[in-house]
Amino acid sequence: MDQVQILDKTFVKYIEKKDIDAACEKMAGQINEDYKNDEPILLATLNGAIIFAAELMQKLTIRCRISCIKLSSYSGTTSTNQVKQLVGLNEDISGKRVIIVEDIVDTGVTYEHMVALLKEAKVKDIAMATMAFKPTAYKKDIPVQYVGFSIPDKFVIGHGLDYDGWGRNLPDIYQLKTEN
Ligand code: IMP
Ligand code: MG
C-alpha cells in the first residue's frame, strides 16, 4: 500500500516498517549500554507510543519496567499548545531513572509538561526515547537523547501515530500528501 485514505486526507508511504525495526534495534542497543548498571522505568505516553514502546522494551536486555501516562495536545492535524493529562502516574517513581517513550516529539510542549511532572515526582533523571522527531517544529531547549528518525515538519501517521484516532495500526509510517 503506497497510499492510504483516512477520513478527508490522503497519506503516502514514508518510512517502512523494516527501517523502523532497525532504528528501534539501534536505539535499544544504546539504551542497553547507557543504562547497563541501572533499572530504568520506561514511561510510555498513551496512546501513540504503545507500539514503539512494546517493541523497544522487548529489545532491552537490562532490568527495566514500564508504566504509562496519557497526555493529549493534538486536535486533528495541529497542536493546540495545551496539554491535557488524561491518565496520571499512580506509582512512586521518586529516585528512579525514567526514560519517556514517545511516538513523536513535535513542538515539545508535551515533553516539557512531562519533565515538569517528573521533576515534581523527584525522579533521579529523565531521558527521551522517541520514534520520530521534528527538529524544525521543536521549540524547547530540553535535549532529546534517543531519536529513531528526524523528519520534516509534516503530519505523519502509522506505527502508533494517528489522525483523529485512525491509522495507528498501519505498520509503516505515512506522510500527509500535499498537492504541488
Ligand atoms: P508536541 O507536544 O507538540 O511535541 O506533540 C506531541 C504529540 O502530538 C505526540 O505525542 C503526538 O501524539 C502528537 N503529534 C505530533 N505530531 C504528530 C504527527 O505528525 N502525527 C500524529 N501525531 C502527532
Ligand atoms: Mg503521543
Side-chain angles (χ1 to χ4, degrees), residues 57-154:
M57 192 181 196
Q58 289 172 82
K59 292 182 167 62
L60 295 181
T61 50
I62 48 173
R63 283 168 58 87
C64 59
R65 289 176 290 170
I66 191 163
S67 188
C68 296
I69 187 166
K70 185 164 187 173
L71 302 173
S72 178
S73 71
Y74 252 63
S75 172
T77 59
T78 47
S79 176
T80 61
N81 284 315
Q82 281 186 345
V83 183
K84 283 186 285 189
Q85 188 173 330
L86 306 172
V87 175
L89 271 175
N90 51 9
E91 58 203 83
D92 185 15
I93 55 168
S94 61
K96 304 287 189 291
R97 302 192 76 185
V98 175
I99 305 171
I100 305 168
V101 184
E102 266 284 21
D103 48 358
I104 193 161
V105 174
D106 181 33
T107 62
V109 169
T110 311
Y111 183 21
E112 185 180 57
H113 189 89
M114 299 266 296
V115 167
L117 218 110
L118 293 172
K119 282 191 173 156
E120 217 168 283
K122 300 201 167 25
V123 302
K124 186 174 177 195
D125 60 23
I126 306 160
M128 167 62 77
T130 185
M131 178 174 75
F133 178 47
K134 293 179 180 167
T136 55
Y138 194 60
K139 296 195 189 86
K140 308 294 173 189
D141 299 324
I142 317 164
V144 179
Q145 288 80 3
Y146 305 99
V147 175
F149 300 93
S150 283
I151 62 170
D153 187 10
K154 270 193 166 184

Side-chain angles (χ1 to χ4, degrees), residues 2 9 19-20 24-25 28 63 71-72 90-91 97 120 125 131 137 155-156 161 165 172 176:
D2 286 334
K9 304 214 184 306
D19 296 324
I20 304 171
C24 184
E25 184 84 48
R63 283 168 58 87
L71 302 173
S72 178
N90 51 9
E91 58 203 83
R97 302 192 76 185
E120 217 168 283
D125 60 23
M131 178 174 75
F155 195 75
V156 285
L161 292 155
D172 308 291
L176 182 63

